[in-house]
Amino acid sequence: MAVKGAPTWCYAKTPCSHPGISDLGSTRSGLAFNLSFRKWECCCLGVASAQRAITPVEDEKPNLTGAESSGAIQRIEDNESRAFHKDMNLLPKPLTANDLSSSSDGSKVRVAYQGLPGAYSEDAALKAYPKCETVPCDQFEAAFKAVELWLVDKAVLPIENSVGGSIHRNYDLLLRHRLHIVGEVQLQVNHCLLGLPDVTKEELKRVLSHPQALAQCEMTLSSLGIVRINADDSALAAQMVASTGLRNTGAVASARAAKIYGLDILAEKIQDDDDNITRFLILAREPIIPGTDRPYKTSVVFTLEEGPGVLFKALAVFALRGINLTKIESRPQRQRPLRVVDDSNEGSAK
C-alpha cells in the first residue's frame, strides 16, 4: 500500500498532550510536529560564542594582587553571568498556548489569506483573530512566503472541505515550506447568490464564482437555468459583477462580499449540502508548546519504503498506544496516482 518516498500526513488525537493542531472551533488546540534541529543548534552555538567572547584571555586580564585581585575577579564573573543571561533572554522563544490565548482577539496581528477582501478565507482569519489586520494574497504560495519573509505574522489557508475534499495544493506547500501549524479554524460556508441592486434572480443569465462554489450549488443554479462561469475566487467574482455593471450577471460569494462590493443578496444558503464546512490551518514561523490542560491534535508527515505491510506497521504504532487517527492523507511523488485513506471512528476507508 505504501509508495517509496511518498509523504504521508497523519492527524492524531490523544488524551495526552502532544504537539498538534489547535481546533479553534472546539476544545482541541495545538501545533504541528516539525522539529528544526539545525535551528536550535545554531542558537546554542550562538550562546556558547557569546560566553567565550565576554571571557578575557590570559594576556588581557589585569595584573592585580590580594583582595583587589579577588574582588576584580568576582566582578568579572558577575559581569559574565549577567551578560550571559542577557544574551539568553534575547534568543527567540517558541510561542506557548498561553501566548495564543492572551491575544485571542488577534489585535496587532497581521494575517495573510488567499483571495480578495470578502473571500471565505478572510472570514476564517477574522473568526480566528477578530481584530487582526487581514492581508490578501493572489496565490496560496504567496501567503506562505509572506509569513516566511516577516511581512505578516500568520497565514490562514484552507486544507479541507466537507463536500469538496482535501485541498492538495496546500498539502504540497506545507512540505515545501518550513512553517508550523499553530491553530485550526472551521468555517460554516454560506453561499449567497449576488447581483446588482434592484436585480431579481430571475433576470440572471450567467453567474461567476470559484469552480468548487459553483459545484456546491449545482441544484439551485440548475433550477434557475443559469450558465456557470469559473473565476479564480468567489470574492473576485463579486468584484467583477460590481465593476462590469451587467444586470444579467451574478456571483456566488459570501454575504461579506456583497457588503464590500455593494451587491444585493438575491438568495442565501443556496448550497446543496447545508453541512458545508471548510477547515483552515493557521500557520506561523515558530511552533507553540502545548499545555496539559486539554487534548491536542498532532500533524505528522513521514515516508515509507515500498514493501508489504509497511503502512500497517506504521499505523500499528498509534493503535498500540491508544492514539486515534482522524485522517490519513497520502500524497504522490513524481505524478504517481493519489491514494487517500480516511481512518474514522467506524474504521471506514476510501
Side-chain angles (χ1 to χ4, degrees):
M1 294 178 62
V3 177
K4 182 177 181 180
T8 301
W9 286 87
C10 287
Y11 297 87
K13 183 176 67 176
T14 174
C16 303
S17 293
H18 292 279
I21 310 174
S22 69
D23 188 349
L24 301 182
S26 63
T27 60
R28 298 176 299 192
S29 60
L31 83 139
F33 187 82
N34 188 356
L35 299 179
S36 181
F37 295 101
R38 182 178 300 176
K39 175 181 176 183
W40 287 109
E41 180 182 358
C42 294
C43 292
C44 295
L45 290 176
V47 174
S49 300
Q51 185 181 21
R52 288 196 298 269
I54 61 175
T55 305
V57 296
E58 189 68 26
D59 294 339
E60 293 176 347
K61 291 184 179 179
N63 187 15
L64 302 175
T65 58
E68 183 180 2
S69 175
S70 176
I73 293 174
Q74 183 65 37
R75 285 193 298 273
I76 292 174
E77 292 176 351
D78 292 342
N79 290 336
E80 291 178 0
S81 177
R82 285 195 297 270
F84 179 78
H85 290 294
K86 181 179 179 181
D87 290 341
M88 283 289 292
N89 293 330
L90 292 177
L91 292 175
K93 297 179 180 178
L95 296 176
T96 65
N98 293 332
D99 294 330
L100 283 183
S101 59
S102 62
S103 60
S104 59
D105 61 348
S107 56
K108 298 182 181 180
V109 175
R110 289 171 55 86
V111 181
Y113 67 95
Q114 188 274 328
L116 294 177
Y120 291 108
S121 293
E122 187 184 32
D123 291 346
L126 292 172
K127 181 179 180 180
Y129 303 100
K131 296 183 180 179
C132 71
E133 177 187 352
T134 56
V135 180
C137 300
D138 58 347
Q139 300 293 334
F140 289 131
E141 190 163 14
F144 277 84
K145 292 181 178 179
V147 180
E148 291 177 329
L149 297 175
W150 293 75
L151 300 177
V152 298
D153 302 297
K154 293 178 174 63
V156 174
L157 297 171
I159 197 68
E160 181 184 19
N161 178 263
S162 59
V163 177
S166 300
I167 293 107
H168 299 130
R169 172 63 175 165
N170 285 336
Y171 274 107
D172 295 338
L173 290 173
L174 283 169
L175 295 175
R176 297 177 186 176
H177 296 268
R178 299 177 64 84
L179 296 182
H180 299 271
I181 302 173
V182 298
E184 178 184 274
V185 58
Q186 297 188 11
L187 181 71
Q188 181 81 38
V189 178
N190 176 23
H191 289 309
C192 300
L193 182 60
L194 311 181
L196 293 175
D198 301 326
V199 171
T200 63
K201 61 183 179 180
E202 288 76 17
E203 297 180 58
L204 298 180
K205 302 300 181 184
R206 54 180 176 268
V207 65
L208 308 174
S209 192
H210 189 275
Q212 278 201 7
L214 295 175
Q216 293 168 10
C217 305
E218 176 74 23
M219 296 177 60
T220 301
L221 298 178
S222 297
S223 64
L224 295 173
I226 299 177
V227 177
R228 280 144 281 186
I229 301 175
N230 293 339
D232 292 337
D233 181 73
S234 60
L236 174 61
Q239 184 191 61
M240 293 173 63
V241 171
S243 60
T244 58
L246 297 176
R247 296 179 58 85
N248 63 351
T249 304
V252 175
S254 66
R256 282 190 67 251
K259 182 178 181 180
I260 291 173
Y261 300 107
L263 301 177
D264 285 353
I265 299 178
L266 308 181
E268 288 190 85
K269 297 183 178 180
I270 63 173
Q271 61 269 15
D272 300 338
D273 190 348
D274 291 335
D275 191 21
N276 190 346
I277 298 175
T278 300
R279 186 165 63 94
F280 293 81
L281 298 182
I282 304 174
L283 306 178
R285 289 179 293 274
E286 299 293 338
I288 62 169
I289 301 175
T292 58
D293 55 334
R294 54 188 173 183
Y296 281 78
K297 186 185 287 186
T298 301
S299 290
V300 180
V301 59
F302 60 90
T303 59
L304 296 172
E305 295 293 331
E306 186 175 0
V310 291
L311 181 59
F312 169 78
K313 294 175 183 178
L315 299 182
V317 173
F318 300 100
L320 293 175
R321 289 161 177 80
I323 301 174
N324 180 37
L325 298 182
T326 61
K327 183 178 177 64
I328 301 176
E329 184 78 24
S330 179
R331 296 298 299 133
Q333 190 174 28
R334 298 178 183 176
Q335 305 301 321
R336 291 193 179 104
L338 173 68
R339 295 202 302 268
V340 179
V341 179
D342 183 7
D343 187 4
S344 61
N345 293 332
E346 294 79 19
S348 62
K350 61 179 181 180

